[in-house]
Amino acid sequence: MDEKADIGLIGLAVMGENLALNMADKGWRVAVHNRSLDKVDAFLRDRAHNKPIIKARSLSEMVLQLAKPRKILLMVKAGAAVDDLLDRLIPLLGPEDIVIDGGNSHFSDSARRSLRLAEKGLLFVGAGISGGEEGALLGPSIMPGGHEEAWPEIEPVFSSIAARAADGSVCCAWLGSSGAGHFIKMVHNGIEYADMQLIAEAFDILRRLGGLDPEAISRIFSHWNQGDLSSYLLQITADILAKKEEGDGGMLVDSILDVAGEKGTGRWTAIAALDLGVPAGTIAEAVFARAISARKAQRVKSHTLLPGPQPDTTNPPDKAQQDALVQDAFDALHGAKLVALAQGFALLQDANRQYGWDIDQAKVASIWRGGCIIRTAFLDRIASVFAERPELDNVLIDPAFHAPMAASQTGWRRTVAKAMQSGLPVPGLASALSWYDAYRSRCLPANLIQAQRDYFGAHRYERNDRPRGEFFHTRWTEIGHRDPPNPSDSEEDR
Ligand code: 6PG
């Protein structure tokens, strides 16, 4: 009888193919299946030629090919396709077989699927996988969560294919129960959206306020990438900005339509933050920024209709002014990026408390240090802070971040003010700064909001000269609510 395969993989789009090749290169025998079998044949003929990768003509054939307990990695489009596949796969599997969903599924779907498989005695793992095509092939960051009994079975495979951080540690760890893995991947993507938006705003400032061309900005970003701001996204942006069109030598970035796409994970992060009441405005603004970019026709029309300043590109600043602007933009990106990361981790912290996942934030920061799209030098510091202080509500509270936040302030404020005065939209940088100022405000005008709520709806308010939890109502007008408000309406502080 043929040697059994160690793992099955269903779905041979680029991520699936590259993960199969990555596993085969680490010595695992992989059975692969795809809805269209031509795809499997082409893969085996071409990229998988002479590798320990075998064809499964059907799901039932794959089940027979796999060693027990069977491990099957689904790399199909998130949503209905995963459920359809599970409908067909579940009846073929036996006790303790393991199904891993490696796509960008919504965490609530993964939680539901965990229950569904558990009812059949099967194990389910929702594993976020980050790093794009290249990461899948050479080493992604992997974020598994679900039925923990599955972990000892899949750990050797996952650890062998995952990226390594600079200190050699593996960028894959068991992260928690139920939907935890996909929640963490979702938050990763929310931070990814924010980071991309912040870098795009820094580019816009340097270009339209600083009068610098893409190649000059590419050099600036490469330089920034040597220090504290070092990140995969900044590095690829420097590459992108240096890329010329084939033939005529123009810069490619200038020919790309300014309409950003999205597949939903950033939006889900913003929705999760709203659902949990976590202030994560910079992540949400990054989603909205893509949405406003997509309204290209409306923007073109309102450009001629709506009054306001336009950045003056005819009068570029002199060298000294340019240097100052570059330094300020660096500070702005530095401060705002830390805020975006802090918002993402605060969302994880609150979700963890709410859903009881037992997520270790230090572990999350640690496995994001290699392989994934948001890998950045800051994650080393964040991982150390959470290792020391796992219960911290917000990572910026730790003294490790006080000096960097102090250093970035002035330039960040100048950048936002200048952009706003010039009519240059900076929703990411500005919202991050407002978040920062609100988060360090002893007093906010929420007292007035409470008074307004009490005025029109008798929603009651707490007083700052009385203990928390005691609620008051004022009869603001003659026809205002006369009755004392219902104590069951009392509102807790979050
Ligand atoms: C990753 C990426 C990956 C994918 C995003 C793109 O971590 O490898 O996040 O999952 O590129 O889904 O998302 P948008 O199409 O929504 O920008």
Side-chain angles (χ1 to χ4, degrees), residues 233-248:
L233 282 169
L234 195 58
Q235 174 214 313
I236 64 162
T237 309
D239 289 352
I240 290 165
L241 295 177
K243 186 88 179 160
K244 293 205 164 91
E245 286 267 35
E246 310 251 317
D248 75 354

Side-chain angles (χ1 to χ4, degrees), residues 15 103-104 128-133 141 143 185 188-190 192-193 196 260-267 290 371-374:
M15 286 293 283
N104 269 333
I129 301 181
S130 176
E133 297 171 19
S141 174
M143 297 151 244
K185 175 59 171 43
H188 165 283
N189 281 27
E192 173 184 304
Y193 272 53
M196 291 166 77
E262 56 114 4
K263 293 203 205 77
T265 47
R267 189 166 13 108
R290 290 194 190 190
C372 71
I373 303 295
I374 63 164

Side-chain angles (χ1 to χ4, degrees), residues 92-293:
L92 305 173
L93 298 174
E96 284 162 33
D97 283 347
I98 301 163
V99 179
I100 308 144
D101 175 12
N104 269 333
S105 290
H106 193 272
F107 70 98
S108 61
D109 285 335
S110 296
R112 173 175 57 78
R113 289 168 188 148
S114 286
L115 291 176
R116 182 176 175 198
L117 266 77
E119 279 166 15
K120 305 278 177 201
L122 304 171
L123 302 175
F124 181 81
V125 175
I129 301 181
S130 176
E133 297 171 19
E134 192 182 291
L137 184 65
L138 303 175
S141 174
I142 311 180
M143 297 151 244
H147 293 133
E148 197 166 358
E149 308 90 289
W151 183 229
E153 296 295 334
I154 61 174
E155 191 274 333
V157 181
F158 276 21
S159 292
S160 71
I161 63 165
R164 300 285 182 273
D167 63 3
S169 57
V170 177
C171 294
C172 172
W174 186 255
L175 295 177
S177 56
S178 199
H182 275 135
F183 191 91
I184 290 164
K185 175 59 171 43
M186 178 193 78
V187 173
H188 165 283
N189 281 27
I191 297 170
E192 173 184 304
Y193 272 53
D195 203 2
M196 291 166 77
Q197 175 65 23
L198 294 172
I199 294 172
E201 290 174 18
F203 163 69
D204 213 18
I205 288 161
L206 297 179
R207 180 115 204 234
R208 294 208 280 162
L209 301 184
L212 292 157
D213 62 29
E215 281 175 296
I217 301 170
S218 166
R219 285 191 293 276
I220 291 167
F221 284 0
S222 290
H223 176 62
W224 290 359
N225 196 43
Q226 306 305 310
D228 242 16
L229 271 186
S230 161
S231 73
Y232 170 75
L233 282 169
L234 195 58
Q235 174 214 313
I236 64 162
T237 309
D239 289 352
I240 290 165
L241 295 177
K243 186 88 179 160
K244 293 205 164 91
E245 286 267 35
E246 310 251 317
D248 75 354
M251 302 315 292
L252 178 55
V253 70
D254 289 335
S255 305
I256 298 176
L257 185 71
D258 57 336
V259 169
E262 56 114 4
K263 293 203 205 77
T265 47
R267 189 166 13 108
W268 295 345
T269 315
I271 292 169
L274 287 167
D275 281 345
L276 290 164
V278 176
T282 307
I283 292 173
E285 283 295 349
V287 182
F288 290 136
R290 290 194 190 190
I292 204 161
S293 84

Side-chain angles (χ1 to χ4, degrees), residues 58-79:
S58 62
L59 297 183
S60 40
E61 186 175 57
M62 174 176 278
V63 166
L64 292 173
Q65 288 166 335
L66 293 173
K68 289 185 185 171
R70 301 177 185 93
K71 298 170 268 302
I72 300 180
L73 175 59
L74 313 184
M75 291 304 301
V76 299
K77 196 169 175 325

